Amino acid sequence: MHLLEEDQGRCVKADIISTVEFNSTGELLATGDKGGRVVVFQREQESKNQPHRRGEYNVYSTFQSHEPEFDYLKSLEIEEKINKIRWLPQQNAAYFLLSTNDKTVKLWKISERDKRPEGYNLKDEDGRIRDPTTITALRVPVLRPMDLMVEATPRRIFSNAHTYHINSISVNSDYETYMSTDDLRINLWNLEITNRSFNIVDIKPANMEELTEVITAAEFHPNQCNTFVYSSSKGSIRLCDMRTSALCDNHSKLFEEPEDPSNRSFFSEIISSISDVKFSHSGRYLMTRDYLTVKVWDVNMESKPLETYQVHDYLRSKLCSLYENDCIFDKFECVWNGTDSVLMTGSYNNFFRMFDRNTKRDVTLEASRENSKPRAILKPRKVCVGGKRRKDEISVDSLDFSKKILHTAWHPHENIIAVAATNNLYIFQDKVN
Amino acid sequence: MEYKVEAHRIMSISLGKIYNSRIQRGGIKLHKNLLVSLVLRSARQVYLSDYYSGACLNAQSEREGNEWDIMDSEREKFPPSATECDRAESPEEPQQSKQPEASDKEREYRENDDEVKSDQADCTSTLQQEQNPNPSLDSVGNVSPPETINEPKESPSDSSVAERQSTPVANGESHQAPKTHVCSNRKRSAEESESGDSPQKRTKVASSNSKEDEEGEEMDTSNVSNLITIFGSSFSGLLSKDSAKPEAEAEDSGQICCDQMLKNLNPWSTAIVAF
């Protein structure tokens, strides 16, 4: 796959991007950062004058979604970092997205204003109230064009439903409900109602001493509004059907692969913890990401995954150091392409990996300014494991573990990807022939 | 032996992580702490199993034997606490009891080991613990910690053991009482003996290395009595650093506002201040 690079670097000081998401048409791309801000990019309309600038993404709207809060009861600070953004399908001229931090989900409306009313009777153009006694004639206000203004307003705030940290949100295909997931519980909300939510999964044991696993991610089925999956820290995925009971603690399907005893180490449990789970667009497959691999599961087969891809197996011998520097706890996400034929996930040293399910080929690419110029074709990278290092290869020991790509997104229809590398956002497109 | 060194290192790193997670912004992360506690448990199992197979047969085990004898004699002085401990904990975690060879020393150690493993489970559990329905906790938790911090070293060990005796051991969760104040002891003795964490302390007593030899001569009665207190309260002191802290953490991450939890928080804040 040939790629063009367009560098849409975010000029934000030390603000690490914490989530990236395309909307359902791919026209908009939203990013959330650790400072609680959301930046939305919009794709340019393609113009015949500049065919090589095939729809670049420009900043469309920026707003502060969440602020740091303090829970006085528990003496805890609540981080404003945006954990997830999910777009709602577009139903009118405005755009809607859900953004969440550790405790609160907010529904934001992003709308354009390019006209403004002029000629009010009761107030001046400046907004000052006129003295009614000075009004001698009435006029009808008219709408006059103005510079485009994009404004974001919070329409709903869903709070006080989670004791633990929210790690995922997922919009249902019925477009009326969505679910929010924390470490131990999943709650179902109606998008219109903020003062009530329904708990649909609760894995908190009666005695917390018996706690052995937590929920790490959850997602609704793309087509079936009654089905959702959630992944656990023990490496298992549960598929639940909301029609069976109000509380879906008993799963309908359990996807689990028995552990390979030869790979047992102190850190086996950590690396088997699933950091992300995604349905394919068709709904037939599930993709899961744990620390070292990406797995594709067939929804109809629970005993083992259909495919397993090694993302960076050369790290298996370095788990102890990665534990020390906390890198082993990094939560990598994974994404499908529009046709469910290619998988993408991130790694260290600003590398990200793509796996083609059909050809079984994989490629490692790097998102960095130094190594690629705008509009250059990305060069595949290779990590060498011991032995002789060839010219372009990087040895495992010289990988930069502070440069990690945790969040990536793939355009729903085209081959355009967004890759978040710490506080920079890279957008890559397919080469135009 | 190198497994033990590795396990020991991993244990101290894990404890450091649990400790640091308290001061992290955003509150304690349940998932990460759960994983760290699992690693801690695995490392500890390896460490203890290695102790079993290797350490007792070492040439320098004689000196260890002396220390263990001291500990054993102290345990004989306070048999009720030890046995109550056993009784309380063995129903909780029966699957974790080891089957060592039958030697006197090892048998005594095995009782400790069961308790250690139960403590390990407790450690994991208190990490996320919300409910602490132990009624005796109120009396013990309130009374002892201020004493242990303010009074000189000898008396806390006496008072804590005495408290322990007087506390009716209703269930395994009563260990949190001794854990709470023994941890203060352990912290102080940790400071003085220049070892930062519990696995090192255990190493000092139980395993054989050159460092231990040097420090063995420096160990005076007060240090030994602290160790006795720690071992006498069935290894809870060794884990007290990470068990009491996760307990406090769990309170933070849980939603319990019951009085017992709040009282548990108080001794810890004073302990942290003292530390």
Side-chain angles (χ1 to χ4, degrees), chain A residues 30-278:
Chain A
T31 61
D33 66 21
K34 268 195 157 180
R37 271 169 310 196
V38 172
V39 179
V40 180
F41 297 85
Q42 187 187 42
R43 196 177 184 193
E44 265 177 17
Q45 296 302 321
E46 296 178 23
S47 73
K48 295 194 176 54
N49 299 336
Q50 293 177 314
H52 63 279
R53 289 176 73 84
R54 212 179 59 149
E56 287 185 358
Y57 283 84
N58 301 316
V59 177
Y60 179 63
S61 169
T62 304
F63 56 93
Q64 185 78 31
S65 170
H66 287 73
E67 299 274 1
E69 287 171 50
F70 196 78
D71 180 344
Y72 294 99
L73 192 62
K74 294 183 224 164
S75 293
L76 278 184
E77 200 178 354
I78 300 173
E79 271 191 292
E80 68 277 26
K81 171 171 82 102
I82 308 293
N83 291 332
K84 282 287 182 329
I85 290 175
R86 289 286 181 264
W87 289 94
L88 265 58
Q90 195 172 5
Q91 288 170 320
N92 51 34
Y95 303 104
F96 289 88
L97 61 78
L98 286 170
S99 73
T100 183
N101 70 346
D102 282 341
K103 296 286 185 184
T104 305
V105 185
K106 293 189 185 180
L107 175 68
W108 286 89
K109 174 180 174 183
I110 302 165
S111 49
E112 294 181 5
R113 193 192 290 267
D114 60 355
K115 294 187 187 34
R116 72 156 181 236
E118 283 179 18
Y120 280 106
N121 292 295
L122 292 177
K123 58 182 182 188
D124 276 345
E125 299 308 322
D126 305 330
R128 275 183 304 216
I129 309 287
R130 286 162 79 181
D131 183 2
T133 55
T134 62
I135 301 172
T136 52
L138 286 178
R139 53 188 176 166
V140 177
V142 290
L143 290 173
R144 297 228 184 276
M146 58 179 259
D147 290 337
L148 179 66
M149 191 173 74
V150 182
E151 50 186 14
T153 44
R155 302 299 290 176
R156 305 270 188 275
I157 297 182
F158 306 90
S159 55
N160 295 325
H162 286 281
T163 307
Y164 303 97
H165 297 324
I166 297 177
N167 52 53
S168 342
I169 46 176
S170 177
V171 182
N172 203 346
S173 50
D174 64 7
Y175 302 151
E176 284 184 6
T177 55
Y178 78 95
M179 66 175 174
S180 57
T181 310
D182 68 23
D183 289 323
L184 297 178
R185 298 191 176 102
I186 303 181
N187 292 335
L188 184 72
W189 301 82
N190 184 304
L191 283 163
E192 301 293 330
I193 299 170
T194 60
N195 60 1
R196 204 183 327 161
S197 82
F198 296 93
N199 178 242
I200 53 176
V201 172
D202 187 343
I203 64 166
K204 180 162 169 263
N207 187 0
M208 278 297 264
E209 291 182 14
E210 294 154 11
L211 180 76
T212 51
E213 65 183 327
V214 297
I215 302 174
T216 51
E219 200 186 34
F220 269 116
H221 190 281
N223 308 318
Q224 297 165 12
C225 56
N226 54 284
T227 308
F228 65 92
V229 291
Y230 67 90
S231 59
S232 84
S233 56
K234 271 193 172 172
S236 61
I237 308 104
R238 286 171 175 79
L239 184 138
C240 300
D241 186 335
M242 292 197 288
R243 297 171 300 189
T244 54
S245 67
L247 193 58
C248 299
D249 281 357
N250 298 320
H251 52 264
S252 302
K253 293 194 187 190
L254 171 65
F255 301 88
E256 206 170 23
E257 187 180 24
E259 192 192 344
D260 181 3
S262 62
N263 280 335
R264 185 108 187 89
S265 77
F266 286 126
F267 311 105
S268 302
E269 281 135 338
I270 301 188
I271 62 171
S272 64
S273 172
I274 293 178
S275 51
D276 195 16
V277 65
K278 290 265 169 47

Side-chain angles (χ1 to χ4, degrees), chain B residues 143-266:
Chain B
V143 171
S144 43
E147 293 172 24
T148 55
I149 291 167
N150 299 328
E151 289 172 18
K153 257 200 319 182
E154 264 73 15
S155 40
S157 34
D158 296 332
S159 68
S160 62
V161 177
E163 286 282 359
R164 186 129 165 57
Q165 269 196 302
S166 60
T167 305
V169 180
N171 51 33
E173 286 163 1
S174 68
H175 279 291
Q176 299 190 3
K179 275 176 198 169
T180 324
H181 54 252
V182 168
C183 92
S184 329
N185 282 338
R186 202 201 59 75
K187 276 189 179 305
R188 279 234 234 103
S189 53
E191 283 176 299
E192 274 149 31
S193 51
E194 296 171 11
S195 67
D197 49 25
S198 48
Q200 282 186 357
K201 191 161 284 300
R202 207 185 305 142
T203 308
K204 199 191 299 189
V205 173
S207 75
S208 53
N209 48 33
S210 54
K211 176 181 165 196
E212 190 187 15
D213 287 336
E214 292 156 13
E215 291 189 10
E217 291 158 359
E218 296 161 16
M219 271 172 92
D220 58 7
T221 333
S222 54
N223 272 344
V224 172
S225 66
N226 279 327
L227 290 169
I228 290 167
T229 310
I230 289 167
F231 291 126
S233 56
S234 68
F235 278 77
S236 61
L238 289 170
L239 286 183
S240 59
K241 182 175 180 185
D242 62 355
S243 58
K245 268 200 291 289
E247 173 192 320
E249 289 163 10
E251 295 145 26
D252 291 341
S253 62
Q255 74 275 38
I256 298 304
C257 315
C258 72
D259 290 341
Q260 287 158 346
M261 285 289 104
L262 292 173
K263 280 167 187 162
N264 268 339
L265 275 175
N266 285 333

Side-chain angles (χ1 to χ4, degrees), chain B residues 28-158:
Chain B
I28 287 115
K29 303 204 181 348
L30 184 63
H31 183 201
K32 182 177 175 185
N33 280 295
L34 176 67
L35 295 177
V36 170
S37 68
L38 292 175
V39 170
L40 183 62
R41 187 197 292 197
S42 313
R44 189 186 178 162
Q45 281 175 349
V46 167
Y47 187 81
L48 293 175
S49 68
D50 201 56
Y51 172 81
Y52 256 120
S53 54
C56 287
L57 310 172
N58 275 350
Q60 299 187 12
S61 62
E62 203 181 327
R63 199 172 66 75
E64 301 160 16
N66 292 338
E67 290 166 14
W68 279 110
D69 286 339
I70 295 171
M71 186 206 77
D72 289 349
S73 63
E74 287 295 330
R75 284 170 54 77
E76 282 160 14
K77 265 195 245 167
F78 308 113
S81 31
T83 46
E84 279 171 4
C85 217
D86 274 339
R87 246 186 284 122
E89 284 184 315
S90 46
E92 270 188 340
E93 299 290 341
Q95 68 271 21
Q96 289 188 343
S97 60
K98 286 181 77 116
Q99 304 300 328
E101 299 160 36
S103 76
D104 283 338
K105 233 184 290 177
E106 287 175 333
R107 217 183 304 126
E108 298 250 10
Y109 180 71
R110 175 165 64 111
E111 288 173 351
N112 274 338
D113 191 50
D114 285 345
E115 293 147 359
V116 162
K117 295 215 182 291
S118 314
D119 281 349
Q120 180 65 55
D122 268 354
C123 165
T124 312
S125 65
T126 54
L127 191 66
Q128 301 94 16
Q129 184 163 349
E130 290 184 345
Q131 294 283 356
N132 187 16
N134 183 5
S136 64
L137 200 57
D138 281 344
S139 53
V140 181
N142 264 339
V143 171
S144 43
E147 293 172 24
T148 55
I149 291 167
N150 299 328
E151 289 172 18
K153 257 200 319 182
E154 264 73 15
S155 40
S157 34
D158 296 332

Side-chain angles (χ1 to χ4, degrees), chain A residues 354-365:
Chain A
M354 287 192 201
F355 303 94
D356 190 321
R357 295 179 63 210
N358 300 325
T359 63
K360 299 297 178 208
R361 287 207 322 236
D362 61 88
V363 67
T364 306
L365 300 166

